[in-house]
Amino acid sequence: MKDIMGMMKKAQEMQAKVGEMQAELEATEVQGSAGAGMVVVTLTGKGDMRGVKIDPSLLKAEEAEILEDLLIAAHTDARAKAEEISQSKMQEMTAGLPIPPGMKLPF
C-alpha cells in the first residue's frame, strides 16, 4: 500500500510541476526572424503570437508576396524555438523517470 501512496504523491508532484512549467512557458517569449531580420515574430513559449515587426521597406504593394513568405518563415522560426524550450523544460522535469521514447507530456 505504501508503494501506491508513494506513486500517488509522485503523480501529484509531477502534476504541480507541469502546471508550473506551463505557466513559465506562457510567460516566456521567443522571437523568430526572416529576411535578415526584416520580419520578426514574437511568440510565447506556448505558441501564442505576441507581436510582429516589419521593416518599412517591405510595405509596398509589389512586395506583398515576399512579405507573406517572410511572415510565415519568421513564425516557423519562432515556433521551432518555442518547441525547443518546451522540450528542454520537459526533459529537466522528467529527468530520471522511465518514460518511453517518443512519449510526450503532458498527455
Side-chain angles (χ1 to χ4, degrees):
M1 192 65 154
K2 280 185 175 183
D3 289 335
I4 291 174
M5 295 304 286
M7 285 176 42
M8 292 297 289
K9 184 177 180 182
K10 291 257 187 219
Q12 288 174 338
E13 289 172 3
M14 178 75 127
Q15 186 176 18
K17 287 180 181 180
V18 167
E20 291 171 12
M21 184 193 75
Q22 288 177 336
E24 189 175 329
L25 286 173
E26 185 64 37
T28 301
E29 290 188 350
V30 294
Q31 289 188 336
S33 63
M38 294 180 81
V39 175
V40 178
V41 172
T42 303
L43 301 178
T44 67
K46 292 186 84 172
D48 297 327
M49 190 176 292
R50 294 289 182 189
V52 176
K53 292 182 184 177
I54 301 170
D55 188 284
S57 68
L58 293 172
L59 300 176
K60 300 174 187 167
E62 63 273 6
E63 302 291 332
E65 190 173 333
I66 294 170
L67 177 57
E68 291 166 356
D69 291 343
L70 290 174
L71 281 167
I72 292 168
H75 183 273
T76 301
D77 184 40
R79 186 74 180 149
K81 289 176 183 176
E83 182 66 26
E84 186 178 311
I85 289 170
S86 177
Q87 287 179 358
S88 174
K89 290 187 182 300
M90 188 59 71
Q91 284 179 339
E92 289 173 17
M93 188 175 72
T94 60
L97 293 178
I99 297 175
M103 184 175 185
K104 287 191 170 188
L105 292 175
F107 306 105

